[in-house]
Amino acid sequence: PMIEVGRRLARQTDTDITAVVDQVVEDRSPAVRREAAISLRHSKSAAAPALWARLAKQHTAGDRWSIEALGIGAALRWDECLDAYLKLVPDAAETPQGRDIIWRSRAKKSSALLAAIVKSDKTPEGEKDRYMRAFDFQSGPEKDKALESLLQ
């Protein structure tokens, strides 16, 4: 597809991919949006987190391909990407789509958000184990503090 050609061309010419992603960020095809998300992985552009957030906002809950593509795309800039997403979707922890994004995220604030999801009455009881397992992929003192908050 066009995004793949654009991504390859951007790499070969040392051009930032964000101009290509900006053209397809609202594409109707989930496959195009997945490719766009992945292509943001190595972008150092200041525009990349906001573009990633716009792609993440279109995520369909339960779409494993989408969530993995978004994870790959944000991997090197999780803090910035999650912040941009939460500005667009401030109630993310209250929606299945937003909980998917938080579940996959590795930002410093992800642990606190996961703890809030686990504690929330809006989170279906049968899903809480999934969010507890997500702590296995978190690190740092933020994780410890969030886990301690679950004991209180």
Side-chain angles (χ1 to χ4, degrees), residues 72-87:
I72 292 167
L76 303 177
R77 296 175 75 176
W78 261 118
D79 292 324
E80 295 168 89
C81 288
L82 187 61
D83 284 346
Y85 175 71
L86 293 173
K87 283 181 186 171

Side-chain angles (χ1 to χ4, degrees), residues 4 19 26 30 36-37 40-41 43 52 63-64 68 73 79 87 98 100 102 106 109 118 120 125 127-128 130 132 145:
E4 183 59 30
E26 302 290 335
L40 291 173
R41 181 180 177 93
S43 175
W52 182 90
D63 182 343
R64 293 170 56 178
E68 192 55 30
D79 292 324
K87 283 181 186 171
D100 273 0
I102 294 165
R106 307 294 185 258
K109 64 174 57 169
V118 170
S120 174
E125 201 61 39
E127 294 180 16
K128 292 187 178 189
R130 173 183 185 228
M132 286 301 297
K145 185 176 179 181

Side-chain angles (χ1 to χ4, degrees), residues 124-143:
E125 201 61 39
E127 294 180 16
K128 292 187 178 189
D129 286 348
R130 173 183 185 228
Y131 300 107
M132 286 301 297
R133 286 190 303 272
F135 280 104
D136 290 344
F137 300 95
Q138 302 299 318
S139 61
E142 298 84 6
K143 173 185 175 178

Side-chain angles (χ1 to χ4, degrees):
M2 181 183 109
I3 188 71
E4 183 59 30
V5 172
R7 183 167 59 142
R8 289 179 186 166
L9 185 61
R11 266 195 214 144
Q12 290 173 1
T13 61
D14 201 26
T15 302
D16 189 70
I17 193 68
T18 56
V20 175
V21 172
D22 191 45
Q23 292 176 17
V24 299
V25 73
E26 302 290 335
D27 198 280
R28 285 187 278 152
S29 169
V32 170
R33 294 193 311 267
R34 286 192 304 263
E35 284 294 325
I38 291 169
S39 71
L40 291 173
R41 181 180 177 93
H42 295 287
S43 175
K44 292 177 176 44
S45 169
L51 286 168
W52 182 90
R54 288 174 59 198
L55 291 163
K57 186 177 179 184
Q58 298 172 74
H59 168 68
T60 300
D63 182 343
R64 293 170 56 178
W65 295 105
S66 168
I67 200 66
E68 192 55 30
L70 289 163
I72 292 167
L76 303 177
R77 296 175 75 176
W78 261 118
D79 292 324
E80 295 168 89
C81 288
L82 187 61
D83 284 346
Y85 175 71
L86 293 173
K87 283 181 186 171
L88 281 181
V89 187
D91 64 340
E94 297 175 15
T95 68
Q97 298 85 352
R99 288 192 297 264
D100 273 0
I101 300 295
I102 294 165
W103 171 84
R104 180 60 178 84
S105 69
R106 307 294 185 258
K108 288 181 181 176
K109 64 174 57 169
S110 299
S111 292
L113 292 168
L114 286 167
I117 289 169
V118 170
K119 291 184 214 178
S120 174
D121 293 336
K122 294 182 181 181
T123 305
E125 201 61 39
E127 294 180 16
K128 292 187 178 189
D129 286 348
R130 173 183 185 228
Y131 300 107
M132 286 301 297
R133 286 190 303 272
F135 280 104
D136 290 344
F137 300 95
Q138 302 299 318
S139 61
E142 298 84 6
K143 173 185 175 178
D144 296 337
K145 185 176 179 181
L147 287 171
E148 287 173 12
S149 78
L150 291 173
L151 298 173
Q152 298 169 351

